[in-house]
Amino acid sequence: MPEKKTSVQSSKQARLRNGKDTAQNSLKGQMGFSEVLLSSPGSVLGLVLVLLLVYWFYKDLNSDAGPPGPKPLPVLGNLLQLNMKRPYLTLLKFSQQYGSVFTVWMGPQKVVVLAGYKTVKEALVNHAEVFGDRDAVPIFVETQDKNCQGKPFDTTEMMSCAVSNIICSLLYGNRFQYDDSEFTTIIASFRRNMQLLGSPSIQIYNWFPWLGRLVPNRNEIFKQREQNKSQVLKFVRKLRATLNPHMCRGFVDAFLVQQEKEKGVPNSPFHEENLAQTVIQLFFAGTDTTATTLRWALLLMAKYPHIQDQVREEITRLIGARQVQVEDRKDLPFTDAVIHETQRFVGIAPFGLPHKTTKDITFQGHFIKKGTTIWPFLFSVLNDESQWENPNSFYPAHFLNKDGKFKKKDAFMPFSAGRRVCLGEGLARMELFIFFVTLIQRFRFTAQPGVTEEELDLTGNVGLSRDPVEHKLCAIPCF
Ligand code: HEM
């Protein structure tokens, strides 16, 4: 495959990813800490009082030894230096300044950030035990208890429904029609929760959990969580009523069968609360990540139609119109490379999830205390210049050798690595392949009329994950 066709230099994207965007873009893109607080005037007075009260508590913020980093302010830490809409850009700049192991203070919370492939791999794989604990995220802890016919459409709902149905099949042994109001209500409620969880005010809440009810989105999350839980328990009741222990329809059935066996066992984990939480977590972890990656993939295909043509040509040549199977992956190296490059390029989970050290460790010459919050900075691994030829471009050739065969890359870590590697990696990879091939087999994706390919925006918004900015695409049937 000619290199010219697969290397797409997106200079605007490159500047953004390097944190050197124009003044105009950074003004547009930045939402400062103070702006977020002032958007909720009722909380300002309370916040000032609380800040004064806790000042003495954090006054020795600077005295803790550990990896270097930008100088923090008392209580606020480094928040004022942080681009709240694109925090990964600030962290990339810090990593250039302070090296691959550095400290930032997210308000009063000390975070050690691990940046770049070599460092993240050394920590998560070579020291898997020490860096393998999950750190608690306050908002998670507290809430634990069409047919478009070529017309422009927002890909969000369609993708969420398709991917959620996979999780529904695994959990309930059942999938839903896209117009089933029970299903669309669940999807809408989960999506709203995802938006709230990724909102700047909830990020601030996670650093200052004592703000509690002053953060309005937190209260809505609690309400949504309760709704999600009662919806899940409603499904569980239906499944319990028709349970056949000899024919499990899905995870919930298997759980209920085990619950029956453990009746009377003290402290058995097989109780209703655990079941509801597990189902909710699998929905959260398994829907939005995969659906958003697929939305990015289609957006990239609309942006770079010559790459889309190459994918379709390969699919048509090798599997034609028949239904794709997982085993076809090995025969579709270019398609596989495009999917991998999509995941690398978009870095859907820029910071992974927080980890915590299980004991004191001296890592790359820096002392890190037991119990320190660790951020494996996956975005920096997926953009590490020492590992990727064109880190700032959408360049499927990253995953192809000179003969056009698929080439594995160790620095491909969108699912993280080590003890806490994504539980759903195998499922997600399967879903991405089957959905992507099926969609490209049947439709040509383009920008909506009046929007040029150049105008399709690849900037992305970071909440809980890195989402594409709102956009519409056209899906034109290929036959
Ligand atoms: C493109 C899709 C996906 C991406 C990019 C992704 C990425 C990640 C990442 C970066 C983590 C954090 C790992 C760490 O802490 O080091 C994670 C954790 C997790 N993921 Fe995924 N994920 C995806 C899909 C899924 C799916 C489909 C499921 C389930 C069905 C799932 C379930 C989980 C769970 C349960 C965890 C927590 C594991 C733990 O705490 O040990 N993920 N994922």
Side-chain angles (χ1 to χ4, degrees):
M1 163 237 356
E3 189 175 290
K4 219 169 88 195
K5 285 198 164 186
T6 54
S7 166
V8 182
Q9 292 295 337
S10 168
S11 59
K12 182 183 170 203
Q13 192 67 10
R15 283 199 310 278
L16 264 172
R17 286 163 157 252
N18 286 328
K20 295 174 192 159
D21 202 12
T22 59
Q24 194 193 9
N25 268 336
S26 52
L27 267 181
K28 250 197 300 179
Q30 288 213 6
M31 182 183 262
F33 178 67
S34 51
E35 203 180 315
V36 173
L37 288 181
L38 289 172
S39 68
S40 171
S43 62
V44 174
L45 188 61
L47 176 64
V48 170
L49 286 174
V50 181
L51 290 183
L52 287 172
L53 278 173
V54 297
Y55 173 73
W56 65 269
F57 191 67
Y58 296 114
K59 63 184 182 302
D60 57 350
L61 194 72
N62 293 315
S63 67
D64 200 359
K71 205 168 168 45
L73 291 171
V75 183
L76 292 179
N78 300 111
L79 289 183
L80 295 181
Q81 288 149 281
L82 210 63
N83 174 344
M84 291 294 286
K85 266 203 155 172
R86 308 218 163 80
Y88 56 94
L89 294 181
T90 315
L91 294 193
L92 272 187
K93 264 199 251 168
F94 286 165
S95 72
Q96 283 152 11
Q97 211 174 334
Y98 299 102
S100 58
V101 184
F102 60 93
T103 305
V104 281
W105 287 86
M106 297 299 178
Q109 193 191 359
K110 177 182 172 174
V111 175
V112 170
V113 180
L114 308 179
Y117 166 64
K118 203 174 139 282
T119 302
V120 172
K121 186 188 164 220
E122 188 181 336
L124 299 190
V125 179
N126 301 4
H127 299 282
E129 272 301 313
V130 182
F131 288 97
D133 249 21
R134 167 75 62 235
D135 196 31
V137 179
I139 195 69
F140 291 162
V141 173
E142 281 211 51
T143 51
Q144 257 168 20
D145 163 82
K146 287 161 199 184
N147 183 2
C148 297
Q149 296 182 334
K151 290 198 207 96
F153 70 106
D154 186 323
T155 52
T156 316
E157 196 179 324
M158 211 66 110
M159 284 303 179
S160 297
C161 287
V163 174
S164 288
N165 255 336
I166 306 287
I167 298 284
C168 286
S169 307
L170 290 171
L171 295 172
Y172 303 139
N174 186 21
R175 67 186 300 288
F176 297 84
Q177 291 302 319
Y178 290 3
D179 57 1
D180 181 329
S181 63
E182 205 168 14
F183 184 50
T184 48
T185 312
I186 297 175
I187 304 270
S189 155
F190 271 96
R191 268 226 319 273
R192 176 70 188 137
N193 228 330
M194 282 303 280
Q195 283 165 355
L196 292 169
L197 285 169
S199 64
S201 67
I202 289 299
Q203 291 177 46
I204 288 170
Y205 170 78
N206 282 329
W207 302 323
F208 300 97
W210 38 263
L211 286 175
R213 285 172 191 273
L214 288 172
V215 180
N217 282 353
R218 170 202 172 270
N219 306 333
E220 200 186 331
I221 286 175
F222 274 77
K223 228 173 82 194
Q224 291 281 341
R225 253 310 152 113
E226 280 312 306
Q227 270 175 23
N228 291 340
K229 197 170 140 187
S230 56
Q231 274 155 350
V232 167
L233 291 177
K234 197 169 141 197
F235 274 111
V236 170
R237 275 195 298 277
K238 278 191 200 165
L239 291 172
R240 197 190 288 278
T242 51
L243 185 66
N244 173 358
H246 306 294
M247 215 184 70
C248 281
R249 291 160 291 191
F251 172 85
V252 171
D253 276 8
F255 192 102
L256 294 176
V257 170
Q258 193 59 30
Q259 189 180 34
E260 201 52 41
K261 283 188 192 155
E262 297 208 6
K263 231 178 194 167
V265 175
N267 301 325
S268 164
F270 291 91
H271 52 79
E272 203 169 67
E273 180 65 27
N274 248 353
L275 177 57
Q277 290 304 336
T278 309
V279 168
I280 289 174
Q281 277 171 18
L282 286 172
F283 252 110
F284 267 110
T287 300
D288 208 61
T289 40
T290 313
T292 306
T293 306
L294 283 165
R295 291 182 62 220
W296 272 113
L298 299 186
L299 178 61
L300 285 160
M301 291 303 95
K303 175 112 184 150
Y304 303 126
H306 62 282
I307 297 183
Q308 183 178 172
D309 288 344
Q310 276 181 275
V311 174
R312 187 171 299 102
E313 187 281 322
E314 186 182 66
I315 295 171
T316 311
R317 183 162 39 87
L318 292 156
I319 63 169
R322 77 160 160 80
Q323 194 169 355
V324 63
Q325 292 168 3
V326 177
E327 300 77 58
D328 294 322
R329 187 197 290 271
K330 62 180 183 331
D331 300 323
L332 298 172
F334 186 74
T335 307
D336 204 11
V338 166
I339 297 170
H340 278 74
E341 179 64 357
T342 300
Q343 287 201 269
R344 185 206 68 80
F345 183 73
V346 304
I348 191 119
F351 312 111
L353 286 172
H355 287 219
K356 192 165 78 172
T357 43
T358 54
K359 50 182 165 181
D360 290 353
I361 183 169
T362 299
F363 179 70
Q364 295 193 352
H366 303 289
F367 175 71
I368 304 174
K369 261 202 300 203
K370 176 182 174 179
T372 302
T373 297
I374 300 290
W375 283 10
F377 189 13
L378 299 182
F379 187 83
S380 71
V381 179
L382 299 172
N383 285 270
D384 190 329
E385 284 173 4
S386 70
Q387 301 295 319
W388 307 99
E389 213 176 322
N390 283 311
N392 300 315
S393 304
F394 183 66
Y395 185 67
H398 279 139
F399 294 93
L400 293 168
N401 68 16
K402 59 179 177 13
D403 302 321
K405 296 263 182 296
F406 183 80
K407 177 173 78 179
K408 271 193 176 170
K409 298 278 285 189
D410 289 343
F412 178 73
M413 274 191 193
F415 298 101
S416 190
R419 239 181 92 195
R420 286 288 179 175
V421 67
C422 170
L423 176 97
E425 174 173 356
L427 174 66
R429 284 161 57 82
M430 214 185 316
E431 288 181 65
L432 292 178
F433 179 72
I434 301 282
F435 275 121
F436 182 71
V437 172
T438 307
L439 287 168
I440 297 293
Q441 227 176 1
R442 287 164 173 72
F443 300 98
R444 155 170 291 284
F445 291 90
T446 66
Q448 61 175 316
V451 176
T452 64
E453 282 139 20
E454 289 69 38
E455 283 168 342
L456 286 177
D457 185 353
L458 299 183
T459 311
N461 289 327
V462 175
L464 211 57
S465 58
R466 185 159 180 259
D467 293 352
V469 293
E470 212 177 301
H471 66 276
K472 285 188 176 170
L473 297 180
C474 296
I476 300 152
C478 289
F479 40 72

